[in-house]
Amino acid sequence: MKKSADKKLKEKICNGERISSEEALALFSWDLIELGEAGNMRRSLIFPREEVGFIIDRIINFTNICEAACNFCAYHARANLIKPFELTQKEIYAKIEELVSAGGTQVMLQGGLHPDYTLDTYVSMVRNVKKRFPRIYLHSFSPSEIAHMAKKSSVSIDEAILNLKKAGLNSVPGASDLLVDRIRKKVSPRKIGKDLWCEVMYALHRHGMKSSATMTYGMGETDEEKIGHLNVVRDVQDKTGMLRAFIPWSFSPARTGLKYIEPATGIDYLKIVAISRIFLDNIIYIQAGWLTEGLKLAQLALTMGANDMGGVLMEETVVKATGIETKAGIEEFIDLITNAGKKPVLRDSEYKVIKKGGKDSRVRGFK
Ligand code: SF4
């Protein structure tokens, strides 16, 4: 019975048909290699080129003072792992200057929900950065930061977005965590819930802004809830087409208030990549989360449905606070992608190719 259901599901996947939540749930019991092959097959239907892109970017975490103080976060000041800090405008400029000298094109400004920051604080930050670095693409903040700034300044979400856009903000990362209210109430009760996350996404779309979606799993959720998260993402994309990429990553409990949770495994990660690729039939790019999963697991993910490596980050503090530190440079990215049998491409924030890797896969660097 199960065999014939699996066969039917496989045919559906190979024909590029949309699968249901129940079918996605059944994929968790598939053999990993078979699931990975199905993920890769689905990727080839959605994105037939064997290219894998990456971008040179820098996350600038401008403050860790955060009134949400989520249990799953090791980064905020009250977790007592990093001293409270706020970067000055000058410090932000210096970091961007370093990025520009390294050929970088994208900045992700992200911080905690600072109790004293209003919409003006964020708008000035954007305006000043864009004035000084007009060519830098600002893929910055998050839906919870946007809801926070709107609330602090008593304006609507739409008005907050309009002001940020006018100041020069280009796009907003989806920073979705897990869009399951049962889990959010436990791990981030003072952060926005699923409905407000969706509301911010629809507002961004109304203002013509693009975004992405992420998934932080391994926080005590069930497989049904994982699929519930993917369902919210697929629905937002059906209605808007605004999501350029989807990025799943596992939660690292060790240094957080949830250290009793058993960490997710590498097998769990690869399954999530393949299932996301099959279920999210309306998203072109799935990123391999090398920062949290390590480079070798990310390389494997490229053969199971992922087709982007995200950013060669020059700096990152949030994941580092959990005790995980993975560093990579351009040469490593090129080797890793090439050795996965793919063609490395340097891309911009809109996923347009800037440079392609050499014809001979053994030749390092770009043409
Ligand atoms: S996850 Fe974000 S909102 Fe929650 S405590 Fe950390 S910085 Fe604050």
Side-chain angles (χ1 to χ4, degrees):
M1 179 69 184
K2 184 176 179 307
K3 263 195 171 172
S4 86
D6 283 354
K7 194 171 167 241
K8 266 193 187 162
L9 181 51
K10 204 170 186 178
E11 273 169 22
K12 220 171 159 180
I13 294 168
C14 294
N15 292 335
E17 287 172 48
R18 173 160 285 198
I19 67 162
S20 67
S21 297
E22 293 70 34
E23 288 167 328
L25 206 51
L27 294 176
F28 281 100
S29 65
W30 280 28
D31 167 78
L32 180 64
I33 302 292
E34 213 177 339
L35 180 61
E37 276 171 8
N40 194 42
M41 140 71 64
R42 194 70 157 202
R43 189 271 312 153
S44 71
L45 295 176
I46 294 173
F47 183 82
R49 300 197 304 273
E50 292 298 321
E51 289 172 356
V52 170
F54 65 90
I55 187 167
I56 305 172
D57 65 352
R58 182 167 201 164
I59 294 187
I60 301 179
N61 296 119
F62 51 85
T63 181
N64 69 337
I65 299 169
C66 180
E67 64 184 26
C70 306
N71 300 333
F72 78 105
C73 175
Y75 164 76
H76 69 90
R78 280 195 271 164
N80 288 323
L81 292 166
I82 307 173
K83 281 190 183 152
F85 72 88
E86 287 175 77
L87 296 185
T88 62
Q89 197 73 55
K90 219 171 143 192
E91 286 168 324
I92 294 176
Y93 290 162
K95 286 175 186 291
I96 302 178
E97 256 148 33
E98 272 178 28
L99 174 75
V100 171
S101 341
T105 53
Q106 173 177 282
V107 167
M108 296 170 82
L109 292 166
Q110 289 186 315
L113 310 182
H114 195 299
D116 302 330
Y117 286 12
T118 63
L119 177 59
D120 280 350
T121 320
Y122 295 90
V123 167
S124 315
M125 203 185 296
V126 171
R127 193 179 294 122
N128 292 338
V129 166
K130 281 304 245 198
K131 199 169 161 198
R132 199 161 170 134
F133 305 96
R135 294 167 72 110
I136 280 291
Y137 190 99
L138 275 184
H139 179 52
S140 293
F141 309 128
S142 64
S144 54
E145 283 176 282
I146 289 177
H148 173 76
M149 52 185 101
K151 191 171 153 207
K152 288 286 166 188
S153 294
S154 306
V155 300
S156 66
I157 302 272
D158 277 277
E159 198 173 334
I161 292 171
L162 191 63
N163 279 282
L164 291 165
K165 190 180 174 187
K166 271 193 199 154
L169 181 66
N170 298 102
S171 62
V172 178
S176 332
D177 305 330
L178 197 69
L179 296 164
V180 173
D181 283 337
R182 182 183 77 84
I183 298 294
R184 291 179 94 87
K185 277 184 196 141
K186 274 195 202 168
V187 306
S188 53
R190 289 165 294 276
K191 207 173 177 181
I192 60 172
K194 171 183 71 112
D195 290 348
L196 191 47
W197 183 87
C198 291
E199 212 181 290
V200 176
M201 297 309 269
Y202 293 131
L204 285 168
H205 176 60
R206 279 197 291 280
H207 294 284
M209 295 187 81
K210 299 283 184 195
S211 187
S212 55
T214 57
M215 174 180 183
T216 312
Y217 65 91
M219 296 194 286
E221 74 286 346
T222 62
D223 287 346
E224 283 85 353
E225 285 171 328
K226 287 185 181 85
I227 301 300
H229 173 96
L230 294 179
N231 233 326
V232 176
V233 172
R234 188 165 80 175
D235 190 48
V236 166
Q237 181 72 335
D238 274 346
K239 290 182 177 131
T240 64
M242 69 188 293
L243 305 176
R244 286 185 171 134
F246 178 74
I247 311 118
W249 52 59
S250 61
F251 166 61
S252 308
R255 298 171 84 180
T256 72
L258 304 170
K259 41 175 93 61
Y260 56 89
I261 289 182
E262 192 72 22
T265 66
I267 304 286
D268 296 332
Y269 173 68
L270 294 173
K271 283 192 171 186
I272 289 290
V273 167
I275 293 171
S276 307
R277 167 55 82 195
I278 295 164
F279 191 78
L280 299 174
D281 51 8
N282 50 6
I283 296 184
I284 297 173
Y285 296 97
I286 296 209
Q287 285 183 13
W290 64 273
L291 194 62
T292 48
E293 314 306 323
L295 291 165
K296 290 194 172 152
L297 209 51
Q299 188 181 38
L300 264 178
L302 295 180
T303 67
M304 297 191 174
N307 60 341
D308 192 85
M309 285 294 289
V312 182
L313 300 168
M314 288 186 61
E315 183 189 19
E316 199 284 335
T317 324
V318 179
V319 174
K320 203 169 149 194
T322 67
I324 295 177
E325 192 171 3
T326 311
K327 283 191 173 158
I330 295 175
E331 289 295 323
E332 268 168 301
F333 262 38
I334 292 172
D335 276 355
L336 183 147
I337 296 167
T338 308
N339 292 329
K342 310 279 177 179
K343 294 176 190 141
V345 299
L346 182 65
R347 64 161 175 86
D348 66 13
S349 308
E350 296 174 348
Y351 289 77
K352 290 192 196 108
V353 174
I354 300 175
K355 278 183 191 168
K356 290 195 179 200
K359 271 185 192 159
D360 180 342
S361 63
R362 287 162 303 174
V363 176
R364 289 178 167 215
F366 287 103
K367 284 195 273 191

